[in-house]
Amino acid sequence: MTWVHIEDVIRAILFLFESASPQKIYNVVAPDHIDQLQFLKIASNILKRKPLLPLPSFVMRLMMGEQSQLVLNGQYVKPQALQQEGFHFKYPDLNIALKQILTVN
C-alpha cells in the first residue's frame, strides 16, 4: 500500500519546481511501504480504537469493480527518482505521519 503525508506532497512539488534537473516522472509516495493490515493496526493504535473488521474481497469487487485491484493488491511504488534528486521526506514513516495528522492536541 502506498501512502504519503500531504505536507510531503506539497514539499515535493515545490522541490521539483525549484529543481534544475531534467524532467522525469516522479512517484510522490513515502519510502515506507506497508500492507493494509499494518496500516489498520498503526491507525487503530494511534486512535486508541479497535481495528475495523476487514471487508471480504468479493464485497470490494462488487463495490469497486476493476478498481478494487488497487485496494486489494496495492502497488509497490518507490520514490527512487525523487530521492535521487535529493528530496528528503519529513514523514517517511507511517507511524510518525499518522500521529501528526490524527493526534488531537
Side-chain angles (χ1 to χ4, degrees):
M1 176 176 182
T2 58
W3 64 274
V4 64
H5 192 287
I6 186 66
E7 191 173 326
D8 279 333
V9 172
I10 295 166
R11 290 179 57 251
I13 291 168
L14 292 173
F15 176 82
L16 292 171
F17 276 143
E18 295 170 357
S19 174
S21 64
Q23 293 183 355
K24 298 179 187 176
I25 295 173
Y26 295 93
N27 295 316
V28 183
V29 298
D32 182 26
H33 186 267
I34 61 159
D35 62 34
Q36 291 180 32
L37 185 58
Q38 289 172 305
F39 188 99
L40 184 61
K41 285 179 181 179
I42 291 169
S44 298
N45 186 40
I46 292 169
L47 292 170
K48 296 179 174 84
R49 295 184 183 163
K50 290 183 180 180
L52 298 172
L53 294 174
L55 284 175
S57 60
F58 77 89
V59 174
M60 294 299 288
R61 286 188 189 95
L62 285 173
M63 290 175 26
M64 299 179 68
E66 287 183 28
Q67 290 185 351
S68 66
Q69 294 306 313
L70 291 174
V71 175
L72 296 172
N73 299 329
Q75 292 181 318
Y76 188 63
V77 180
K78 290 179 143 184
Q80 185 174 352
L82 187 60
Q83 289 180 307
Q84 286 175 345
E85 295 292 333
F87 182 77
H88 298 283
F89 287 86
K90 185 173 181 179
Y91 301 98
D93 176 80
L94 180 65
N95 196 31
I96 296 167
L98 285 181
K99 279 182 182 176
Q100 194 278 328
I101 293 170
L102 299 175
T103 303
V104 179
N105 295 324

